[in-house]
């Protein structure tokens, strides 16, 4: 059972108990079996979904569709910025140019997300890592594609590739070890 | 008022607390610095008193994390990084961010999961001696090693829990303080810093640069020798949201050299009677980590320790009259290092 299914089963059980409590005693009140604390089960629900402006970095997404990972570069200082931003932190007067990042890197660190946030609870355990791209001295944080995490090693060669993230069905980037993993 | 919120129902916490405690009419505001929120509240109150705009100020930290079920709390804390580039696409969790540091540190310095568990064993031990700690039970390395993975290589016993809690301290001018009490504790210095929002922009993953900057600033302001800090303080509360965080804190604060923090815990040098007792209140790990309250509870603990009022078995010997609180927000996104002292600061 996915963590999402487990959580939804837990909430359903809670709702059933609350329905019983309301019918029996007149209130959505439960007693925590662990602590004995009396709790009001909130009858209002807040659903939050953000709509985030990515207007200034739209080039990033246009390039991602063509299989390229872009960063920005400050024209005056030469500093490369990834994730991309269109203002230079060291020289506010400088303009930025868009550059394509090399795909070759090495793995610096990684973790396996075993206990997932609710909005990721439909996935099996996933690996998140940070890869360094030595040619530009930039780090990229992304999912690491590897079936056997015990094969992962600090410094191992990796490539940054573009993948379609399912089931959501949108393009993003990932870290893929060069050797079979 | 230090309160991170999000997971709890009440929106205007400062006015609700004021009304409940009979303080309606007094000025109030909420501050937020992720897990360092409590220290930010203490700093806001201390700054107001130091600037002379207030004679007395109350710093309260409060958090009710249990109002939301665990997967939702995991969701909220996971978003405490660089939202779009870390969470939206890659679903990092708070244990996950620190696990990235743990993997790096363990690979670089040959540290084992058992070493991390030693931190949990110590902090649970002191939790058992602190009646206000969330966890009262001592654990063994074996129990810790058997616990399930939360974000590999971090296991359940490497992680601080989801906690409801509150703490409060009163800060007052010298003139007023001497009228209220004959044993005031002074804030000698506060060092503050921030780190990059996005973890991929960090220079290294075996320590928190924000903590190193905050510590240096605090030591400079308190006129302490940064090379010999353990000889100038008696006790420290450090931000052990995860076991790896306590080991990195030893190094960031200068208690140990880079890569050698693990030796302190292996040799039990951070127990009472050791080189420098750390988290002898149980730390975040066993005392609990109610986000906005944690930094204020550190101020309470340093006060208790310096005044010799801690429970038997966890009271340190006070020789230098000085304690240190290290409170990190996020994964080194914010850091506050506060030096508490029995003596009035020099100059």
């Amino acid at each position: 059972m996915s963590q999402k299914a487990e959580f939804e089963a837990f909430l359903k059980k809670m709702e059933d108990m609350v329905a019983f409590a309301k019918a029996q005693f007149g209130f959505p009140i439960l007693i925590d079996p662990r602590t004995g604390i009396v709790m009001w089960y909130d009858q209002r629900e807040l659903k939050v979904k953000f709509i985030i402006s990515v207007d200034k970095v739209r080039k990033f997404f246009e390039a991602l569709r063509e299989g390229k990972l872009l960063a920005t570069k400050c024209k005056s200082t030469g500093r490369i910025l990834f994730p991309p931003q269109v203002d230079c932190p060291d020289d506010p007067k400088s303009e930025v140019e868009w550059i394509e990042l090399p795909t070759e890197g090495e793995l610096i660190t990684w973790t396996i997300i075993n206990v997932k946030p609710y909005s990721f609870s439909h996935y099996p355990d996933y690996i998140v890592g940070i890869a360094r791209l030595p040619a530009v001295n930039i780090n990229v944080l992304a999912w690491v594609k590897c079936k056997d995490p015990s094969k992962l090693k600090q410094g191992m060669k990796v490539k940054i590739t573009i993948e379609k993230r399912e089931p959501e069905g949108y393009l993003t980037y990932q870290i893929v070890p060069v050797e079979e993993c | 008022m230090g309160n991170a919120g999000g997971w709890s129902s009440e929106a205007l916490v400062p006015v609700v607390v004021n009304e409940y405690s009979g303080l309606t009419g007094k000025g109030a505001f909420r501050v937020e610095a992720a897990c360092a929120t409590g220290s930010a509240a203490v700093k806001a109150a201390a700054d107001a008193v130091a600037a002379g705009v207030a004679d007395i100020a109350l710093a309260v930290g409060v958090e009710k994390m249990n109002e939301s079920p665990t997967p939702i709390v995991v969701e909220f804390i996971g978003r405490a990084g660089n939202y779009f580039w870390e969470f939206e696409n890659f679903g990092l969790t708070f244990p996950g961010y620190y696990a990235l540091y743990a993997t790096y540190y363990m690979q670089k310095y040959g540290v084992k999961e058992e070493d991390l568990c030693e931190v949990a064993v110590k902090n649970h031990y002191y939790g058992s001696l602190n009646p206000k700690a969330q966890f009262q039970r001592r654990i063994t390395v074996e129990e810790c090693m058997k616990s399930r993975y939360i974000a590999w290589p971090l296991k359940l016993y490497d992680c601080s829990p989801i906690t409801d809690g509150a703490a409060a301290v009163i800060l007052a001018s010298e003139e007023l303080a001497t009228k209220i009490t004959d044993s005031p504790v002074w804030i000698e210095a506060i060092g503050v810093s921030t780190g990059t929002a996005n973890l991929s922009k960090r220079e290294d993953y075996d320590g928190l640069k924000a903590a190193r900057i905050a510590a240096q600033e605090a030591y400079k302001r308190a006129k302490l020798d940064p090379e010999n800090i353990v000889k100038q303080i008696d006790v420290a509360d450090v931000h052990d949201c995860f076991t790896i965080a306590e080991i990195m804190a030893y190094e960031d604060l200068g208690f140990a050299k880079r890569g050698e923090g693990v030796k302190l815990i292996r040799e039990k040098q951070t127990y009472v009677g050791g080189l420098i007792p750390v988290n002898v209140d149980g730390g975040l790990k066993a005392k609990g980590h109610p986000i906005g309250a944690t930094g204020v509870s550190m101020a309470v603990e340093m006060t208790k320790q310096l005044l010799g009022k801690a429970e038997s078995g966890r009271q340190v010997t006070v020789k230098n009259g000085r304690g240190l609180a290290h409170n990190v927000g996020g994964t080194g996104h914010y850091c506050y290092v506060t030096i508490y002292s029995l003596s009035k600061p020099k100059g």
Side-chain angles (χ1 to χ4, degrees):
Chain A
M1 189 156 53
S2 72
Q3 277 175 25
K4 191 182 186 82
E6 275 174 40
F7 181 52
E8 274 160 9
F10 164 78
L11 283 186
K12 171 80 175 56
K13 197 177 147 200
M14 198 97 141
E15 292 283 355
D16 289 347
M17 287 195 297
V18 169
F20 177 79
K22 283 197 281 195
Q24 207 70 12
F25 312 111
F27 300 104
I29 283 180
L30 298 173
I31 296 170
D32 185 332
R34 223 163 20 97
T35 58
I37 290 171
V38 179
M39 300 175 304
W40 179 274
Y41 190 81
D42 198 346
Q43 297 296 289
R44 314 291 156 207
E45 197 167 321
L46 178 67
K47 190 171 179 180
V48 178
K49 180 150 257 357
F50 300 113
I51 303 160
I52 304 162
S53 168
V54 291
D55 191 55
K56 287 188 172 184
V57 291
R58 60 197 290 178
K59 275 201 179 122
F60 175 84
F61 298 99
E62 288 161 11
L64 207 59
R65 205 170 53 200
E66 293 163 17
K68 295 176 198 164
L69 191 68
L70 295 195
T72 52
K73 185 176 177 182
C74 295
K75 282 185 177 169
S76 72
T77 64
R79 181 169 167 191
I80 297 170
L81 302 158
F82 183 82
Q85 62 180 65
V86 296
D87 295 291
C88 295
D90 312 311
D91 181 2
K93 279 183 260 149
S94 174
E95 286 187 357
V96 298
E97 56 185 326
W98 287 88
I99 61 159
E100 188 180 344
L101 288 176
T103 58
E104 295 79 27
E106 50 198 48
L107 189 66
I108 301 178
T109 189
W110 67 96
T111 177
I112 306 165
I113 306 298
N114 311 106
V115 174
K116 286 153 274 222
Y118 177 63
S119 65
F120 279 80
S121 60
H122 54 297
Y123 290 108
D125 292 0
Y126 46 90
I127 308 169
V128 183
I130 298 176
R132 179 173 295 262
L133 312 182
V136 286
N137 207 22
I138 284 291
N139 295 340
V140 175
L141 181 147
W143 277 14
V144 181
K145 200 176 177 186
C146 174
K147 288 193 189 87
D148 180 5
S150 69
K151 289 187 177 159
L152 295 174
K153 281 194 297 286
Q154 208 167 44
M156 76 191 294
K157 299 277 172 242
V158 295
K159 274 189 164 315
I160 310 296
T161 67
I162 313 299
E163 64 151 351
K164 194 164 209 182
R165 176 66 63 75
E166 300 293 358
E168 287 86 356
Y170 73 100
L171 293 171
T172 186
Y173 46 96
Q174 63 182 359
I175 298 168
V176 184
V178 172
E179 282 173 41
E180 205 189 310
C181 190
Chain B
M1 170 65 63
N3 171 250
W7 33 61
S8 50
S9 54
E10 207 68 69
L12 305 184
V13 179
V15 289
V16 174
V17 169
N18 267 15
E19 181 191 304
Y20 192 86
S21 357
L23 291 168
T24 297
K26 304 294 177 194
F29 55 89
R30 184 175 80 98
V31 298
E32 182 279 319
C35 314
T37 290
S39 289
V42 171
K43 185 178 189 303
D47 284 350
V49 172
V53 295
D55 292 322
I56 190 163
L58 177 67
V60 182
V62 62
E63 211 67 65
K64 293 182 80 179
M65 302 174 78
N66 284 298
E67 284 193 7
S68 285
T70 300
I72 303 298
V73 177
V74 173
E75 175 96 21
F76 265 111
I77 316 186
R79 291 170 177 232
N82 188 184
Y83 177 77
F84 186 78
W85 300 96
E86 293 179 331
F87 188 86
E88 167 81 3
N89 294 310
F90 309 120
L92 266 160
T93 61
F94 200 47
Y97 291 112
Y98 269 97
L100 290 170
Y101 277 82
T103 303
Y104 185 91
Y105 189 98
M106 291 164 78
Q107 294 248 333
K108 185 168 177 181
Y109 299 113
V111 168
K112 304 254 176 296
E113 290 179 38
E114 285 86 346
D115 293 318
L116 301 185
C117 280
E118 289 287 359
V119 175
V121 169
K122 171 178 72 72
N123 294 354
H124 273 259
Y125 171 76
Y126 286 114
S128 77
L129 300 173
N130 180 358
K132 296 220 161 129
Q134 182 172 359
F135 296 140
Q136 295 287 328
R137 200 175 63 83
R138 297 178 192 182
I139 61 160
T140 62
V141 169
E142 292 70 37
E143 270 178 276
C144 172
M145 287 300 291
K146 273 190 219 148
S147 64
R148 67 193 163 99
Y149 283 109
I150 301 297
W152 180 93
L154 299 180
K155 295 176 287 302
L156 183 67
Y157 278 117
D158 287 303
C159 306
S160 57
I162 290 169
T163 310
D164 288 2
V169 288
I170 294 168
L171 292 110
S173 64
E174 180 175 11
E175 198 187 340
L176 191 56
T178 49
K179 282 182 196 157
I180 301 170
T181 175
D182 55 7
S183 54
V185 168
W186 296 80
I187 290 181
E188 211 171 8
I190 305 177
V192 295
S193 184
T194 54
T196 64
N198 197 305
L199 249 59
S200 71
K201 293 189 177 176
R202 302 285 170 87
E203 290 159 23
D204 52 47
Y205 299 92
D206 56 353
L208 301 174
K209 192 177 177 186
R212 294 196 289 272
I213 295 172
Q216 292 307 315
E217 187 186 319
Y219 298 161
K220 196 175 165 191
R221 284 173 186 240
K223 300 184 174 67
L224 300 178
D225 173 13
E227 301 302 316
N228 203 12
I229 203 68
V230 291
K231 292 277 188 296
Q232 300 158 85
I233 60 174
D234 302 303
V235 60
D237 256 7
V238 310
H239 199 87
D240 60 325
C241 49
F242 301 97
T243 50
I244 181 67
E246 177 161 325
I247 292 174
M248 293 196 300
Y250 296 162
E251 299 172 19
D252 291 336
L253 293 166
F255 300 171
K257 293 198 183 93
R258 295 292 285 275
E260 294 184 4
V262 70
K263 276 197 212 164
L264 287 185
I265 190 70
R266 279 180 189 152
E267 293 167 6
K268 300 201 176 338
Q269 292 289 355
T270 48
Y271 279 75
V272 170
L275 181 70
I276 174 72
V278 174
N279 290 337
V280 295
D281 55 357
L284 283 59
K285 178 69 205 63
K287 185 176 62 180
H289 183 25
I291 306 293
T294 289
V296 184
S297 83
M298 288 176 169
V300 172
E301 170 66 9
M302 289 302 106
T303 303
K304 275 179 90 167
Q305 286 287 347
L306 291 177
L307 297 179
K309 289 181 177 171
E311 288 77 11
S312 155
R314 63 176 211 86
Q315 173 66 52
V316 304
T317 308
V318 178
K319 286 179 295 189
N320 306 300
R322 199 178 278 120
L324 180 153
H326 157 276
N327 192 192
V328 175
T331 316
H333 292 91
Y334 303 88
C335 189
Y336 286 73
V337 172
T338 309
I339 314 280
Y340 295 92
S341 172
L342 287 174
S343 321
K344 185 178 172 180
K346 293 163 246 153

